[in-house]
Amino acid sequence: VKSVLATISAYGQVAYRETGFEGEVIADWKVYSSSDSIDFSNPVIFRVVSNDGKGEKDYEVQVNVAQQEEQTIQWHEESANSLSEMEKIQAIAWQDSLFVFGVNSQSQIMKSARYIGADNQAEISWKTANTTGCEQGNIRSIQLLNNKLYMSTSSGKLLISDNGTNWETIPQTQNVDLLIGCDSQNLYALISGAIYRSADNGMTWNEEVIDASNDCLPTEYVAAIRYTQGNNIERLLIAGSRNHDIYPTDTATAIISKILNIDDEESWMHYNADSYNDYLLPRMENLHIVRMHQNLIAFGGSVNAGNTQKPFEAFYISIDNGITWKPNYNDITVPENLNPYTNCFSGCTDEQGRFW
């Protein structure tokens, strides 16, 4: 199938014309109609003309077709008794090891790690240690940048560690509410209800531009994923819940994303929770997002009362960079005995492509 119906909304008049394989124009302008069957096998140029005829702008639209074979994930249970003391956990694959940070019954942050390198020859037992310097740390905020770990705190301070055990305070110019993501060079955080970026390891911060109101930003159970698409576009996607006390009727996850490897400063894009999208990602507590087989995979625990699904009912798969999410009940099944741990769970992928 190469020709499809396309629904387009604009403040003005819309026309379009098709292009050839090398991008050359092969057709005259046509006035857009919702009944048109448009050939998207090559990029299509859409032109929006203002109602007064004084302004116009062209948009090039390209449709990427996912050609992904079905992938089945089989789980293998391993003993990890050292994690039983933790009431909350956050996992991260780093330095050929799987690190799990958790909070014990005394509200102390603990770190446990085991080797997961490719040679499979080293000892695989878990080694647990008490951390220092991060008593007010939020383990859900941990980010990995330039081979160092960063974490925000309840006091607004930022912490840094090169081993996950000993943490130091970063000298910063303003407090941070929540560290929410990173790319290969920058940290991103929520500050006073807006999203900010730091290019100097958290010392100074500048507000970012978003194509919507800051009210759309996720502030709870935030998950971030940075990856390179098949067309070599690098993207950072951040998802989570809006404040439940302010938005108690939200049933969908709030999602924003940013394209990173372009020349101009790109603004953040907000994915609207429109009613025409039948496959929104449900709002979930302790949301996690990983990437496998070129797809995004999301899962989480307790859900908003307005939703009908149960905790861990399914893994949700997105093949279009987070716009739509379809539940997968067959190829990726929820591990047995996970349901009781609706708030004490975590997941990540490693360099070998394994899902922990």
Side-chain angles (χ1 to χ4, degrees):
V1 177
K2 65 178 183 178
S3 296
V4 296
L5 298 176
T7 301
I8 299 172
S9 301
Y11 293 104
Q13 303 301 313
V14 179
Y16 67 95
R17 61 183 179 185
E18 298 167 354
T19 65
F21 180 74
E22 299 294 336
E24 71 276 11
V25 175
I26 62 173
D28 294 330
W29 288 105
K30 300 178 182 178
V31 177
Y32 164 76
S33 170
S34 59
S35 62
D36 290 346
S37 181
I38 303 175
D39 183 357
F40 282 101
S41 57
N42 293 307
V44 177
I45 300 173
F46 288 86
R47 174 170 293 177
V48 180
V49 181
S50 61
N51 290 321
D52 59 10
K54 295 182 179 180
E56 63 182 42
K57 186 174 182 180
D58 289 350
Y59 300 85
E60 183 178 282
V61 177
Q62 177 176 316
V63 175
N64 298 316
V65 179
Q67 297 178 344
Q68 178 65 47
E69 296 181 0
E70 289 188 359
Q71 300 287 346
T72 301
I73 293 180
Q74 295 182 343
W75 297 98
H76 303 278
E77 185 174 354
E78 295 188 6
S79 176
N81 293 330
S82 61
L83 306 183
S84 60
E85 300 179 23
M86 301 179 183
E87 297 180 349
K88 300 176 182 179
I89 57 175
Q90 180 71 10
I92 182 170
W94 176 45
Q95 296 180 341
D96 285 333
S97 295
L98 177 63
F99 285 75
V100 177
F101 296 88
V103 179
N104 63 18
S105 58
Q106 288 78 43
S107 299
Q108 298 171 326
I109 294 179
M110 303 172 61
K111 182 204 78 173
S112 192
R114 59 149 290 185
Y115 179 81
I116 57 172
D119 57 34
N120 294 319
Q121 299 300 317
E123 182 182 357
I124 62 172
S125 61
W126 289 87
K127 298 180 179 179
T128 302
N130 292 322
T131 59
T132 62
C134 59
E135 290 75 16
Q136 295 180 314
N138 180 350
I139 60 174
R140 279 282 299 182
S141 71
I142 293 177
Q143 306 294 331
L144 175 60
L145 174 64
N146 295 329
N147 206 34
K148 293 184 182 296
L149 296 176
Y150 294 80
M151 178 166 48
S152 58
T153 67
S154 58
S155 64
K157 302 299 181 183
L158 281 181
L159 306 176
I160 185 172
S161 174
D162 59 5
N163 58 17
T165 301
N166 305 308
W167 296 78
E168 298 178 354
T169 302
I170 297 173
Q172 59 200 90
T173 57
Q174 59 191 119
N175 286 347
V176 167
D177 296 326
L178 181 66
L179 202 57
I180 59 173
C182 69
D183 57 34
S184 60
Q185 298 177 328
N186 306 284
L187 292 169
Y188 296 88
L190 294 177
I191 300 177
S192 300
I195 186 169
Y196 279 69
R197 174 174 60 91
S198 173
D200 55 9
N201 302 318
M203 290 188 290
T204 60
W205 295 85
N206 295 295
E207 187 172 356
E208 292 274 90
V209 177
I210 188 170
D211 65 359
S213 166
N214 286 332
D215 292 342
C216 74
L217 294 174
T219 60
E220 299 174 347
Y221 308 112
V222 178
I225 182 76
R226 176 173 63 90
Y227 60 96
T228 301
Q229 300 173 198
N231 52 6
N232 291 322
I233 291 178
E234 187 178 2
R235 183 183 297 272
L236 176 61
L237 182 141
I238 297 177
S241 298
R242 298 196 297 173
N243 188 302
H244 188 270
D245 293 334
I246 302 176
Y247 305 101
T249 61
D250 279 3
T251 58
T253 293
I255 301 176
I256 60 173
S257 78
K258 180 179 182 178
I259 297 175
L260 303 172
N261 55 340
I262 59 176
D263 295 332
D264 299 326
E265 286 291 329
E266 180 77 4
S267 66
W268 288 86
M269 298 171 286
H270 171 238
Y271 295 1
N272 292 320
D274 294 316
S275 57
Y276 67 79
N277 187 348
D278 294 328
Y279 297 102
L280 295 170
L281 181 61
R283 180 178 185 170
M284 292 177 280
E285 290 186 2
N286 206 3
L287 175 69
H288 283 67
I289 299 177
V290 299
R291 190 168 188 258
M292 292 188 70
H293 314 312
Q294 307 302 314
N295 299 326
L296 299 178
I297 304 175
F299 60 102
S302 300
V303 297
N304 183 45
N307 290 319
T308 58
Q309 84 279 8
K310 301 176 182 179
F312 305 116
E313 184 176 66
F315 286 90
Y316 290 82
I317 314 298
S318 176
I319 63 173
D320 54 11
N321 299 301
I323 298 175
T324 60
W325 300 81
K326 294 185 178 181
N328 188 308
Y329 299 102
N330 300 315
D331 304 315
I332 309 177
T333 57
V334 177
E336 294 182 7
N337 303 321
L338 183 60
N339 279 323
Y341 307 101
T342 55
N343 290 309
C344 187
F345 69 92
S346 187
C348 67
T349 55
D350 61 20
E351 294 183 354
Q352 284 75 47
R354 294 170 298 188
F355 189 177
W356 297 87

